[in-house]
Amino acid sequence: MEYTKSRTYDRQFLLDNMMGPNPIKMLEELTELPGMLDLKLDMRVLDLGCGRGLTSIFLAREFGVQVFATDLWISATENFARFKESGLEHRIIPIHADVADLPYADEYFDAIISIDAYHYFGREEAFADEKMAPLLKPGGKLAIVVPGLKKEIHDDIPQEMLLSWDAEAIETLHSPKWWRELLSKSQQMELQAVGELECYLECWDEWLQCNNEYAISDRKAMENGAGKHMNLVFVIAAKK
Ligand SMILES: C[S@@+](CC[C@H](N)C(=O)[O-])C[C@H]1O[C@@H](n2cnc3c(N)ncnc32)[C@H](O)[C@@H]1O
């Protein structure tokens, strides 16, 4: 894939605001998966765990959707300043909230998109039915990308991974098969696709070039071969 949209974004702006592997490339690939997401002008989209809002900017700019840019670690005021600078404050609403207590009406959203965040809070079986499905219109989509694993390794974690991450952090990472099994148990969401994104290496290379302290600490594992165990997993489900 060429990532023609992502390549138009200012490199320094991205490096200054990334919180993990390049999120807009992941989002570009996710939104171009054939027949999966059909984002249209003025649809309401929840960008869940939006961090510094790069993905919210991409969604508003590329699709003209109305984005509710929701995050816990980054304040709404900080994100509002970035959205104003991008000229998109009329399309993106910054919200500071915890997924455990989201301030939205039932059946409000056409789609919930979550890039590099769902693995922190969405690993329990009941989460999709209790927290995601109520917010979606019937037929609305849940589309996530998470850093993941080629296969489950938790019983015998490779030493190179422990150079940057502890077992608790590694516990958040799972294989496509694991995510498929988790979402298949949902009563209210119908699983549509699970797989690996192509942009894995590019997204990680760009992240490791950042001066973000977490990028610097991730370099040790990646320079020692941890990347061969990892991938970027996407999951798409529709509300029944
Ligand atoms: C690695 S950052 C990724 C941010 C952004 N999606 C990106 O890719 O640049 C993970 C984000 O998940 C958010 N997050 C983690 N737990 C959360 C929770 N319980 N409620 C809301 N957001 C949460 C954090 O605030 C953080 O910004």
Side-chain angles (χ1 to χ4, degrees):
M1 211 182 127
E2 293 298 320
Y3 306 98
T4 50
K5 293 175 184 154
S6 303
R7 291 192 201 289
T8 64
Y9 287 69
D10 181 72
R11 183 170 180 275
Q12 196 55 50
F13 176 69
L14 296 181
L15 289 176
D16 290 345
N17 291 298
M18 277 192 233
M19 295 174 70
N22 184 344
I24 67 164
K25 250 179 210 170
M26 295 187 219
L27 179 57
E28 182 171 1
E29 189 172 337
L30 182 74
T31 52
E32 292 197 4
L33 291 170
M36 286 294 145
L37 287 174
D38 189 15
L39 297 177
K40 294 207 176 78
L41 193 68
D42 293 334
M43 275 183 167
R44 274 199 294 270
V45 176
L46 170 57
D47 184 356
L48 189 56
C50 68
R52 299 202 169 91
L54 295 176
T55 46
S56 308
I57 291 170
F58 184 92
L59 287 165
R61 183 175 289 161
E62 305 300 334
F63 298 99
V65 294
Q66 186 180 23
V67 187
F68 289 74
T70 305
D71 200 72
L72 183 63
W73 304 345
I74 306 296
S75 76
T77 303
E78 183 189 326
N79 275 339
F80 180 44
R82 227 177 329 271
F83 302 149
K84 271 196 290 191
E85 271 171 40
S86 306
L88 289 163
E89 75 273 20
H90 57 295
R91 290 228 157 254
I92 313 176
I93 296 108
I95 303 283
H96 183 247
D98 191 314
V99 289
D101 191 19
L102 290 172
Y104 301 116
D106 283 358
E107 302 197 356
Y108 194 61
F109 292 106
D110 296 286
I112 300 173
I113 293 185
S114 182
I115 304 294
D116 191 9
Y118 197 90
H119 57 303
Y120 292 114
F121 45 72
R123 305 193 314 278
E124 296 295 327
E125 194 179 317
F127 183 81
D129 281 348
E130 288 178 5
K131 299 291 180 190
M132 299 289 95
L135 302 180
L136 286 165
K137 298 176 185 175
K141 297 285 178 87
L142 170 67
I144 70 169
V145 178
V146 286
L149 297 168
K150 298 263 178 216
K151 61 181 177 66
E152 296 297 297
I153 52 164
H154 302 98
D155 291 341
D156 185 16
I157 299 173
Q159 280 308 308
E160 56 271 29
M161 293 199 71
L162 294 165
L163 294 173
S164 295
W165 310 296
D166 60 17
E168 194 183 337
I170 295 168
E171 182 51 42
T172 65
L173 307 177
H174 289 285
S175 63
K177 181 170 178 281
W178 186 93
W179 282 104
R180 176 180 291 283
E181 283 170 9
L182 183 77
L183 271 294
S184 298
K185 291 176 188 149
S186 168
Q187 303 293 308
Q188 308 211 31
M189 304 293 301
E190 185 180 347
L191 188 59
Q192 296 195 313
V194 181
E196 291 184 11
L197 293 186
E198 278 175 35
C199 58
Y200 166 66
L201 282 178
E202 283 183 49
C203 291
W204 266 94
D205 280 351
E206 283 157 1
W207 166 236
L208 297 178
Q209 287 165 33
C210 285
N211 289 324
N212 181 304
E213 62 180 300
Y214 292 101
I216 292 167
S217 80
D218 285 355
R219 283 181 202 155
K220 212 164 196 171
M222 296 307 271
E223 284 166 0
N224 283 280
K228 65 177 173 288
H229 307 293
M230 295 162 62
N231 57 10
L232 292 171
V233 179
F234 70 84
V235 180
I236 300 184
K239 182 170 174 177
K240 289 178 186 167

